[in-house]
């Protein structure tokens, strides 16, 4: 069975719903029969699985419908018991109508307005609101008061003319007293009538307030009794809705049983193949070739990512923010022949090597300030600093400059061996006061450039370079030479380079192509900046011309074949 399963394969054709079935067997007829049998078995099993799924769904739906019926019946029983307990008739709204409360509220507002009006009239009748208000509510009082006022005026006139003891004056006084009693009686009658109206209005307000309070209490009680009933009614409606949905689904699944068919069908029967399916030699070879190319490109990409060295002048500018003044190429042993590397630029002045040295000289002479004392240094050892110092000095000497090359790499000197110099005092002897600097100057036999070798490495070298004698020595040589080159040790190896680069007018940092890590260059530049050195540019050393040309960097264009006619050697 495992062998049959391993030989049988089914795959989707593209994004369609078509499935391609294959069977691998030594006999073509056996392979075709196996595919046809497998497809028939799949279709039958699919049809049977759909029937089993429909039967299972129907049983589950019937069980759910029975549970929902019981839930509906239980809710209806609880609602009946609740109505009976609270005296709520089914279908009759037992709570007071909201319209009745509205009418009572309106009547109460009118009654309160009438009561307020009765209070105002009572105050007016009693004279508390003024004569005008009293006249408005009691015209009879006004008439009696007018008569009294007329009698008062007559009394005053009679007293003034006849005196108060005169019989006519006394008669007017009796009439005035009678008018005053009549006014008081009239006011009392009007006030009594208005008080009766005010009392009636107050009783109506009290009655309406009691009725409204009773009606609202009854409505609130009815609403509280109706809340549980409403909740049970909602539960009953939800259960009935679920029951109807389940019954409808049962009916659908029952009908689906009679019309169910298999979703898959055979498009074509399998025929015995005319050619074997494996091995496919051409396809395998093509896949292997494509995989090899992909893995090769991936390996190249990974190696390039992992390469943290400086690969071009553009890389150098990005990491240092300084101009790359020259790309000094590697000279092969075949190109050197019998010439040493330090003499190559002088013997092959039209070579790419010599041209790049001239590029460096041009960059230095065209720079800001035209420095006279230039320190040539590197981030780490064996980066070609001494070779570049000699080549640059010879190139400047041949251009009619007066050049002095001073070897400051006292621990690993090379000028004496490279230039075949005679035994003579060196830089250390000058700084210790054992010799004059003019006695230590020797001449390069190839170019006529003046050279001072390193001397013997004795004593505190850092103290010598940071001494007053070193500063006086450089000050004296400035007066005799137009260009002074300091061959300094690597920045990462010796502290001497920190002092020497600080004493120089400018510093050039050498970086070896595809060897010096970018982080080392960045650190060396930071050290020089801390030493207050004036770093004006960089030089990329030992560049492999062919490899750099294949890299595609823009500064590799000088190595292209169309420029070959401009160089020799």
């Amino acid at each position: 069975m495992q062998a049959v399963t391993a030989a049988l394969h089914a795959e989707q054709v593209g994004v369609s719903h078509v499935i391609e079935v294959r069977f691998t067997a030594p006999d073509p007829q056996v392979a075709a029969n196996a595919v046809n049998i497998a497809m028939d078995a799949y279709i039958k099993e699919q049809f049977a699985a759909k029937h089993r799924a429909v039967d299972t769904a129907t049983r589950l739906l019937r069980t759910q419908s029975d549970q929902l019926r019981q839930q509906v019946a239980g809710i209806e029983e609880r609602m009946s018991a609740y109505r009976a307990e609270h005296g709520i008739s089914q279908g009759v709204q037992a709570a007071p109508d909201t319209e009745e409360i509205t009418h009572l509220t309106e009547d109460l507002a009118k009654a309160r307005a009438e009561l307020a009006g009765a209070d105002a009239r009572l105050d007016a009748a009693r004279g508390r609101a003024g004569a005008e208000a009293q006249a408005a509510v009691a015209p009879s009082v006004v008439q009696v008061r007018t008569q009294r006022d007329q009698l008062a005026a007559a009394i005053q006139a009679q007293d003034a003319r006849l005196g108060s003891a005169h019989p006519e004056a006394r008669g007017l006084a009796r009439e005035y007293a009678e008018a005053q009693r009549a006014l008081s009686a009239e006011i009392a009658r009007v006030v009594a009538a208005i008080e009766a109206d005010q009392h009636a209005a107050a009783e109506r307000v009290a009655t309406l307030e009691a009725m409204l309070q009773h009606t609202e209490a009854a409505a609130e009680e009815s609403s509280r009794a109706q809340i549980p009933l409403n909740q049970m009614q909602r539960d009953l409606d939800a259960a009935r809705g679920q029951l109807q949905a389940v019954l409808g689904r049962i009916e659908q699944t029952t009908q689906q049983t009679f019309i169910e068919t298999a979703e898959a069908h055979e498009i074509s029967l399998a025929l015995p193949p005319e050619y074997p399916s494996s091995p496919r030699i051409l396809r395998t070879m093509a896949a292997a070739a494509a995989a090899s190319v992909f893995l090769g490109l991936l390996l190249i990409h990974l190696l390039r990512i992992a390469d943290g060295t400086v690969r071009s002048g553009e890389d150098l500018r990005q990491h240092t923010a300084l101009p790359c003044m020259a790309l000094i190429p590697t000279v092969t042993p075949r190109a050197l022949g019998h010439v040493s590397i330090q003499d190559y630029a002088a013997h092959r002045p039209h070579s790419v090597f010599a041209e790049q040295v001239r590029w460096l000289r041009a960059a230095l002479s065209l720079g800001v300030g035209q420095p006279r004392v230039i320190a040539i240094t590197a981030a780490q050892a064996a980066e070609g600093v001494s070779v570049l110092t000699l080549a640059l000095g010879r190139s400047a000497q041949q251009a009619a400059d007066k050049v002095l090359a001073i070897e400051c790499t006292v621990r690993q000197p090379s000028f004496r061996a490279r230039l075949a110099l005679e035994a003579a005092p060196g830089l250390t002897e000058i700084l210790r006061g054992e010799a004059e600097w003019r006695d230590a100057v020797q001449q390069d036999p190839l170019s006529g450039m003046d050279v001072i070798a390193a001397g013997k490495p004795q004593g505190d070298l850092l103290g010598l370079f940071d001494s007053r004698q070193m500063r006086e020595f450089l000050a004296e040589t400035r007066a005799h030479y137009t260009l002074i080159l300091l061959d300094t040790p690597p920045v990462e190896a010796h502290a001497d380079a920190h002092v020497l680069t600080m004493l120089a007018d400018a510093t050039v940092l050498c970086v070896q192509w595809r060897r010096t890590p970018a982080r080392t260059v960045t650190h060396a530049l930071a050290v020089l900046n801390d030493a207050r050195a004036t770093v004006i540019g960089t030089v990329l050393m030992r560049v492999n011309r062919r490899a750099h040309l294949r890299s595609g960097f823009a500064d590799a264009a000088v190595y292209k074949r169309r420029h070959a006619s401009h160089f020799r050697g």
Side-chain angles (χ1 to χ4, degrees):
M1 186 62 185
Q2 294 180 353
V4 174
T5 304
L8 185 64
H9 302 279
E11 294 180 357
Q12 182 180 2
V13 179
V15 295
S16 65
H17 296 284
V18 179
I19 297 177
E20 181 183 28
V21 183
R22 298 193 306 274
F23 190 86
T24 304
D27 189 350
Q29 188 62 46
V30 172
N33 293 337
V35 169
N36 293 329
I37 293 172
M39 288 192 296
D40 291 340
Y42 173 75
I43 292 174
K44 292 178 181 179
E45 174 59 26
Q46 189 185 47
F47 183 74
K50 294 184 73 173
H51 273 278
R52 289 195 297 270
V54 170
D55 293 340
T56 302
T58 302
R59 288 195 300 272
L60 291 175
L61 289 172
R62 293 187 183 282
T63 301
Q64 189 176 4
S65 67
D66 293 340
Q67 294 175 353
L68 289 173
R69 286 192 180 94
Q70 295 176 1
Q71 183 178 358
V72 169
I75 295 174
E76 289 176 346
E77 291 178 0
R78 290 198 301 273
M79 290 180 67
S80 298
Y82 187 84
R83 288 193 182 97
E85 180 181 354
H86 292 81
I88 300 175
S89 300
Q90 185 174 2
V92 177
Q93 181 67 27
D97 192 1
T98 306
E99 185 177 358
E100 181 180 356
I101 297 176
T102 303
H103 289 326
L104 288 173
T105 304
E106 293 175 354
D107 294 342
L108 178 60
K110 292 178 181 179
R112 286 174 177 170
E114 293 175 358
L115 177 60
D119 291 339
R121 289 194 304 273
L122 182 60
D123 291 339
R126 289 173 176 171
R128 297 175 182 174
E132 294 182 358
Q134 190 177 36
V137 298
S140 59
V141 174
V142 176
Q143 184 178 0
V144 176
R145 181 179 286 112
T146 302
Q147 294 175 359
R148 186 201 63 180
D149 293 340
Q150 291 175 355
L151 289 173
I155 289 172
Q156 290 179 356
Q158 192 70 20
D159 287 344
R161 186 170 58 88
L162 300 176
S164 58
H166 195 274
E168 291 183 5
R170 291 180 178 177
L172 289 175
R174 288 191 295 272
E175 290 180 5
Y176 177 79
E178 184 65 26
Q180 182 65 34
R181 285 192 297 273
L183 177 61
S184 298
E186 185 63 22
I187 291 175
R189 183 186 65 80
V190 173
V191 168
I194 295 176
E195 283 181 346
D197 294 339
Q198 188 265 348
H199 182 70
E203 289 183 352
R204 177 171 174 77
V205 168
T207 302
L208 289 174
E209 287 179 347
M211 291 176 62
L212 179 60
Q213 184 177 5
H214 176 73
T215 304
E216 289 178 346
E220 184 178 358
E221 180 65 25
S222 178
S223 298
R224 284 197 298 269
Q226 193 70 24
I227 290 173
L229 187 62
N230 294 336
Q231 180 63 40
M232 287 186 285
Q233 183 64 41
R234 288 192 294 269
D235 295 342
L236 179 61
D237 295 339
R240 285 175 176 172
Q242 293 179 2
L243 179 59
Q244 291 296 329
V246 170
L247 293 176
R249 184 58 182 163
I250 291 174
E251 184 177 357
Q252 291 179 1
T253 54
T254 303
Q255 295 175 358
Q256 187 177 357
T257 305
F258 302 101
I259 61 174
E260 194 67 60
T261 59
E263 294 182 356
H265 62 277
E266 296 175 343
I267 297 177
S268 63
L269 294 175
L271 300 177
E274 298 180 359
Y275 304 100
S277 59
S278 63
R280 299 179 180 180
I281 299 176
L282 294 178
R283 182 179 296 180
T284 303
M285 292 179 62
S292 300
V293 172
F294 173 75
L295 292 176
L297 293 175
L298 180 61
L299 180 60
I300 293 173
H301 180 66
L302 293 177
L303 290 175
R304 189 167 184 175
I305 293 176
D307 186 8
T309 60
V310 178
R311 297 176 294 171
S312 67
E314 181 180 354
D315 278 357
L316 201 51
R317 282 189 291 272
Q318 290 179 353
H319 287 98
T320 62
L322 294 171
C324 181
M325 296 180 169
L327 278 73
I328 306 299
T330 298
V331 182
T332 62
R334 180 180 177 182
L336 282 174
H338 299 289
V339 179
S340 60
I341 184 63
Q342 62 270 11
D343 300 335
Y344 183 75
H347 286 88
R348 302 288 190 272
H350 300 292
S351 63
V352 178
F353 186 96
E355 183 63 27
Q356 289 298 313
V357 173
R358 285 191 288 273
W359 273 53
L360 174 59
R361 183 164 57 86
L364 293 174
S365 62
L366 297 176
V368 179
Q370 294 186 350
R372 179 170 293 185
V373 179
I374 300 175
I376 310 295
T377 187
Q380 53 189 14
E383 303 222 344
V385 174
S386 298
V387 174
L388 180 62
T389 303
L390 294 176
L392 178 61
R394 284 172 171 174
S395 177
Q397 184 71 30
Q398 292 173 357
D401 287 339
K402 186 64 174 175
V403 181
L404 173 63
I406 303 175
E407 184 180 26
C408 301
T409 53
V410 180
R411 293 178 177 84
Q412 291 183 339
S414 63
F415 276 17
R416 199 178 299 277
R418 291 181 185 276
L419 303 179
L421 300 177
E422 298 178 355
L427 177 61
T428 57
E429 285 78 12
I430 295 173
L431 298 180
R432 286 196 293 266
E434 299 174 0
E436 293 291 333
W437 69 269
R438 292 177 181 82
D439 298 334
V441 173
Q442 300 188 60
Q443 198 170 62
D444 174 30
L446 192 60
S447 63
M449 173 182 64
D450 287 349
V451 179
I452 295 179
K456 298 179 180 180
Q458 297 177 353
D460 181 12
L461 297 179
L462 180 62
L464 290 177
F465 290 138
D466 196 21
S467 64
R468 175 179 54 81
Q469 290 81 357
M470 182 66 180
R471 290 175 172 79
E472 293 177 354
F473 164 63
L474 291 177
E476 291 181 13
T477 54
R478 284 176 184 270
H480 295 80
Y481 296 95
T482 58
L483 179 63
I484 301 173
L485 299 177
L486 303 181
D487 177 20
T488 61
V491 177
E492 297 285 341
H494 303 290
D496 305 348
H498 305 177
V499 177
L500 292 169
T501 54
M502 180 187 65
L503 296 175
D505 298 337
T507 301
V508 176
L509 180 64
C510 296
V511 178
Q512 185 169 341
W513 177 81
R514 298 295 294 273
R515 178 178 176 270
T516 305
R519 61 178 180 273
T520 302
V521 176
T522 305
H523 181 261
L525 186 61
V527 171
L528 292 174
N529 290 332
D530 293 340
R532 299 191 299 277
T534 305
V535 185
I536 61 173
T538 59
V539 176
L540 196 60
M541 302 293 295
R542 298 185 182 182
V543 180
N544 188 316
R545 290 190 292 178
R546 293 184 178 179
H548 193 46
L549 183 60
R550 290 194 300 269
S551 66
F553 289 104
D555 53 10
V558 68
Y559 303 138
K560 292 185 177 180
R561 289 187 177 182
R562 62 172 175 266
H563 301 306
S565 60
H566 297 274
F567 306 106
R568 293 192 301 274

